[in-house]
Amino acid sequence: MEIIDSHTHWGPSVTMGTEVTTEELLRQADQSGVSRIVIFPFPSMALADEEINEKLLDEANRVKKFIPYYYIPETMKPIPDVKPHEQSPWYPTPRPSGATSRPNAGALIHGQRPWPSAAGGKGFYGGKWHWMWGIQDCSSNYQALEDPRLDEFIEASEKINLPIVFEEELAFTEVFVRKTKNLKIIIPHLGMLGGNPMDFLHTFKGRENVYFDTALASSDTVMKFIEKIGHERILFGSDIPFGTMKWELEKVLSLPIGDDKKEWIFYKNIKKLIGLK
């Protein structure tokens, strides 16, 4: 059975003083039989150095098992979706002469956006929104919902049509989702870090564009979600380094559902969301 881990961190963490290396992710994947790995930067590193997005993309181009996601910065720049020589409101500066012509190799220079998204054929396959302006893994900053750039972000993201792993408090998430039409949103941990998972389930069970990943959630809670919204909106994730692929995988494998439903959780749902064949 094909398995895609839809939630891992890659690279250094400023606040934790640790690093998740490519070798460690591949070691766990080989040990657990995971075929592809979604990676995104640690929040502390992304906030300290936005160029980590470029480094992550370069590593994903080198390591074919990796599926890169773009960490959305505090300026609410959407997932890059322009060709190397195009411009956008978020990156108005033209590409400097003499810069490399390889689409994914350019550095983020003077506000330039050099990376196309996967929707354009190469690049990022999704994004990660993490406690925008708030206290990480603790409290949302509701002023972000009033920023005029938010509507621009949502409009651009819906055109790009790639999923966003979205982590905030329940009330913040509810307001954000109401602003969207068809933006594909993945709530990690079944909402565990933003409130009570069952409250997230009740709030979003009727929103077909809202998905959930299993990372760090209990088997019982995962089953309750499957019973209410079906297996088609659940994704397998490990949240390395906070979880391990082996443990999180065994948790899903032990669920009392058929292999056909587990296939959707392990790889079919995420492939559908990111357009991966």
Side-chain angles (χ1 to χ4, degrees):
M1 184 187 300
E2 185 176 359
I3 301 170
I4 298 176
D5 189 337
S6 68
H7 186 149
T8 76
H9 298 85
W10 174 88
S13 168
V14 174
T15 56
M16 295 173 59
T18 189
E19 180 175 2
V20 175
T21 64
T22 293
E23 291 72 24
E24 173 60 17
L25 289 173
L26 294 179
R27 183 191 68 79
Q28 291 201 34
D30 289 343
Q31 181 186 55
S32 306
V34 170
S35 53
R36 301 293 299 274
I37 309 165
V38 170
I39 59 170
F40 35 75
F42 282 99
S44 60
M45 190 65 212
L47 294 175
D49 180 10
E50 192 178 333
E51 289 189 14
I52 190 65
N53 277 316
E54 179 193 356
K55 296 172 184 176
L56 180 142
L57 185 56
D58 282 345
E59 188 69 356
N61 286 332
R62 188 182 71 84
V63 180
K64 299 310 178 185
K65 280 195 174 189
F66 286 169
I67 300 172
Y69 275 29
Y70 176 77
Y71 189 96
I72 297 160
E74 292 189 324
T75 52
M76 298 188 189
K77 287 182 282 193
I79 302 167
D81 188 40
V82 294
K83 299 299 186 292
H85 297 281
E86 291 177 350
Q87 300 177 40
S88 78
W90 290 273
Y91 297 82
T93 305
R95 190 180 186 85
S97 60
T100 176
S101 60
R102 185 164 67 88
N104 295 328
L108 186 62
I109 303 171
H110 304 303
Q112 168 195 343
R113 182 163 81 181
W115 321 301
S117 78
K122 298 179 181 178
F124 297 101
Y125 284 81
K128 176 70 185 295
W129 172 297
H130 194 86
W131 304 92
M132 185 68 66
W133 308 351
I135 300 174
Q136 302 293 305
D137 303 320
C138 182
S139 74
S140 296
N141 187 333
Y142 288 80
Q143 291 182 352
L145 293 169
E146 306 301 323
D147 193 288
R149 291 173 295 184
L150 181 61
D151 290 337
E152 298 173 2
F153 169 82
I154 291 173
E155 181 180 1
S157 297
E158 290 187 330
K159 288 180 180 178
I160 293 167
N161 195 32
L162 292 173
I164 294 176
V165 178
F166 190 91
E167 192 160 20
E168 294 277 3
E169 292 176 1
L170 174 59
F172 186 109
T173 306
E174 186 175 10
V175 174
F176 181 91
V177 170
R178 283 204 304 264
K179 290 176 175 285
T180 70
K181 296 176 183 177
N182 53 15
L183 180 60
K184 296 180 286 191
I185 297 168
I186 303 169
I187 297 176
H189 318 296
L190 307 183
M192 186 169 58
L193 295 185
N196 187 319
M198 302 313 295
D199 291 337
F200 273 87
L201 175 60
H202 175 76
T203 300
F204 299 115
K205 63 183 179 181
R207 292 296 300 240
E208 296 294 327
N209 63 315
V210 177
Y211 297 74
F212 298 87
D213 81 35
T214 63
L216 308 184
S218 70
S219 299
D220 289 344
T221 305
V222 174
M223 272 307 303
K224 289 177 182 177
F225 272 68
I226 294 173
E227 290 166 356
K228 287 289 185 181
I229 64 174
H231 55 277
E232 300 92 342
R233 289 167 58 191
I234 308 296
L235 312 175
F236 163 68
S238 67
D239 196 20
I240 291 174
F242 306 103
T244 66
M245 285 185 192
K246 184 177 181 180
W247 171 252
E248 295 296 321
L249 181 62
E250 290 177 352
K251 183 173 62 182
V252 177
L253 285 171
S254 70
L255 296 174
I257 58 175
D259 286 348
D260 57 334
K261 294 180 179 179
K262 290 175 183 175
E263 286 179 351
W264 283 96
I265 295 171
F266 281 136
Y267 72 94
K268 289 184 177 180
N269 289 330
I270 186 66
K271 277 190 167 184
K272 180 182 69 173
L273 286 175
I274 66 178
L276 187 66
K277 297 182 180 179

